[in-house]
C-alpha cells in the first residue's frame, strides 16, 4: 500500500462545492504521517453541474480515491458501480475508491458520528430517545449507523416533512431488525417529551436561520451534537448548554469518518485521538 521511492505518492482529494473550508487535507496528511504513508491529498472544487466529469478526470489522472462532500453525495452514490451495505442503506456516498473493476462507494459519516458520540464523548445510545434534525445527505448518511447503537426510539424531523418520511421509509426494515422505534415528523410537531440526544444534521445556521427546534426538546443532562463545526455550530452549542445539556460540534465526527475512509484506501486505521486534538488546536488558532 505504501508508495515506494520510485513511484509517485498515491493521490486523493475531497470533492465538493464549496470545498475551500475543508479540513480533510490536514486530517489525511496527519494520518499519513502517523502511519508512515506517502500520499497527496488535495481539494477538488467541482462545478455544480459537472461533478461526474470532474471526478472522472481526477480518476483518469491516476488518483486512487476521493471523499465527497456537499452537495454531491447522492451523485457519488449514482456514480459508484459497487457499494458497501451502509452506503446502499443511506442512498448516499461520501467515499469513493477508484478500483479497476469499477468505483467502490462507501459512506463513513454514520460510523464516524457513532464513534464520536459513543467513543469520544462516552455517551452510549442504547435505550435512549434520539432526535435527528434534517433529512439531507448528512442525515441519510448517519441514520442507519445510529440505529446500530440500539436507541429505543429515533425521530427524524425535517422542515420538508416528505423528505423525512421518505428517509424513514427506506430505513424501516433496518429499524425493525435493530428493534428501534423509527418515525418521521415535521419540526413543529415533535412527539411529546424531551429527548436524551438531539443531533443537528440541518444546514439551517448557514442561511442565518435560527434554531430549528424549540426549547425543552433536549432533556437536562442530555447530549446535543451539531454536525457542523466552527462559528456555524455556535448557536446550536449555546442552545444545548442553555438546556443544561452536553454540547458537541462536528469536529470529532469529521475526524472519525476520515479515519474510516483512510482505512478503506490504505488498509489500516489511524489513531484518531492525536489528530482530533491537533485539529481542535488548529481551529481555535485565530487566522
Ligand atoms: P443538505 O443540503 O443535503 O441538507 C440540508 C438539510 O438542512 C435539509 O434537511 C434541509 O431541510 C435543512 N435545512 C436547511 N435550511 C434550513 C432551515 N432554515 N430550517 C430548517 N432546516 C433547514 O446538506 P447535508 O445534509 O449534506 O449537510 C448538512 C450539514 O451537515 C452541513 O452543514 C454539513 O457541513 C454538515 N456535515 C458535517 C459532517 C462532519 O463530518 N462533521 C459530515 C456531513 C455533513 P429541507 O429538506 O427542508 O430543505
Amino acid at each position: 500500500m505504501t508508495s515506494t521511492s520510485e513511484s509517485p505518492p498515491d493521490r486523493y482529494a475531497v470533492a465538493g462545492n464549496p470545498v475551500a473550508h475543508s479540513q480533510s487535507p490536514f486530517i489525511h496528511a496527519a494520518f499519513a504521517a502517523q502511519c508512515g504513508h506517502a500520499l497527496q491529498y488535495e481539494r477538488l472544487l467541482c462545478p455544480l453541474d459537472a461533478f461526474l466529469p470532474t471526478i472522472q478526470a481526477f480518476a483518469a489522472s491516476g488518483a486512487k480515491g476521493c471523499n465527497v462532500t456537499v452537495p454531491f453525495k447522492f451523485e457519488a452514490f449514482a456514480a459508484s458501480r459497487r457499494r458497501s451495505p451502509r452506503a446502499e442503506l443511506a442512498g448516499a456516498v461520501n467515499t469513493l475508491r477508484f478500483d479497476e473493476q469499477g468505483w467502490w462507494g462507501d459512506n463513513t459519516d454514520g460510523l464516524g458520528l457513532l464513534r464520536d458520540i459513543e467513543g469520544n464523548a462516552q455517551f452510549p445510545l442504547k435505550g435512549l430517545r434520539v432526535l435527528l434534525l434534517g433529512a439531507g445527505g448528512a442525515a441519510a448518511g448517519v441514520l442507519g449507523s445510529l440505529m446500530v447503537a440500539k436507541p429505543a426510539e429515533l425521530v427524524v424531523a425535517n422542515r420538508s416533512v416528505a423528505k423525512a418520511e421518505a428517509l424513514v421509509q427506506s430505513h424501516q426494515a433496518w429499524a425493525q431488525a435493530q428493534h428501534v422505534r423509527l418515525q418521521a415528523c415535521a419540526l413543529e410537531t415533535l412527539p411529546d417529551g424531551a429527548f436524551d440526544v438531539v443531533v443537528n444534521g440541518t444546514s439551517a445556521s448557514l442561511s442565518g436561520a435560527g434554531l430549528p427546534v424549540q426549547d425543552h426538546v433536549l432533556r437536562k443532562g442530555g447530549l446535543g451534537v451539531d454536525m457542523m463545526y466552527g462559528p456555524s455550530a455556535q448557536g446550536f452549542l449555546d442552545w444545548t448548554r442553555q438546556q443544561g445539556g452536553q454540547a458537541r460540534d462536528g469536529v470529532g465526527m469529521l475526524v472519525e469518518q476520515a479515519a474510516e475512509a483512510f482505512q478503506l484506501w490504505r488498509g489500516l486505521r489511524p489513531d484518531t485521538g492525536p489528530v482530533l486534538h491537533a485539529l481542535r488546536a488548529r481551529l481555535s488558532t485565530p487566522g
Side-chain angles (χ1 to χ4, degrees):
M1 285 290 198
T2 314
S3 302
T4 66
S5 53
E6 295 86 43
S7 58
D10 290 344
R11 289 166 47 234
Y12 303 89
V14 53
N17 187 335
V19 79
H21 65 285
S22 174
Q23 298 296 324
S24 292
F26 174 84
I27 296 169
H28 282 280
F31 288 162
Q34 187 192 99
C35 297
H37 285 205
L39 60 82
Q40 275 179 15
Y41 190 105
E42 61 195 83
R43 294 181 181 87
L44 193 61
L45 178 65
C46 303
L48 289 174
D49 60 352
F51 170 73
L52 190 56
T54 308
I55 301 301
Q56 283 170 333
F58 185 58
S61 74
K64 301 290 186 191
C66 69
N67 288 129
V68 180
T69 187
V70 179
F72 298 121
K73 291 180 185 178
F74 298 116
E75 286 185 65
F77 178 84
S80 317
R81 181 176 299 173
R82 304 165 310 128
R83 307 178 192 104
S84 66
R86 59 191 179 187
E88 290 287 356
L89 185 62
V93 156
N94 82 334
T95 306
L96 286 169
R97 193 179 61 201
F98 303 140
D99 294 348
E100 279 177 14
Q101 59 272 48
W103 294 357
W104 174 259
D106 198 357
N107 196 315
T108 66
D109 281 339
L111 189 56
L113 177 65
L114 198 55
R115 281 186 191 272
D116 189 53
I117 291 176
E118 295 207 314
N120 298 335
Q122 293 282 295
F123 205 99
L125 297 180
K126 189 166 184 198
L128 300 187
R129 291 189 84 205
V130 178
L131 173 63
L132 175 62
L133 301 172
V142 303
L143 184 54
S145 293
L146 285 175
M147 287 191 279
V148 171
K150 301 201 183 301
E153 182 181 357
L154 214 163
V155 176
V156 181
N158 195 45
R159 182 176 58 180
S160 315
V161 69
K163 280 169 66 177
E165 285 166 352
L167 196 55
V168 161
Q169 194 178 7
S170 66
H171 283 72
Q172 204 53 259
W174 183 246
Q176 281 166 15
Q178 306 300 318
H179 305 289
V180 178
R181 278 197 311 281
L182 177 66
Q183 63 168 306
C185 67
L187 293 170
E188 309 78 32
T189 56
L190 294 177
D192 289 343
F195 288 85
D196 302 296
V197 178
V198 178
V199 176
N200 185 17
T202 76
S203 52
S205 60
L206 286 182
S207 59
L211 283 177
V213 283
Q214 307 198 332
D215 283 356
H216 313 302
V217 164
L218 179 67
R219 77 158 163 83
K220 200 168 178 211
L223 178 70
V225 185
D226 200 327
M227 291 199 213
M228 291 211 220
Y229 52 88
S232 301
Q234 202 54 52
F236 185 83
L237 301 183
D238 290 345
W239 173 83
T240 297
R241 290 184 187 112
Q242 282 157 16
Q243 309 308 304
Q246 180 182 333
R248 200 155 179 89
D249 67 11
V251 175
M253 173 185 175
L254 183 70
V255 172
E256 297 296 339
Q257 64 77 27
E260 288 300 307
F262 190 92
Q263 180 167 24
L264 180 73
W265 294 329
R266 310 299 300 179
L268 81 169
R269 197 172 198 283
D271 180 5
T272 51
V275 180
L276 180 52
H277 188 71
L279 181 58
R280 285 207 184 280
R282 173 183 162 90
L283 291 172
S284 65
T285 306

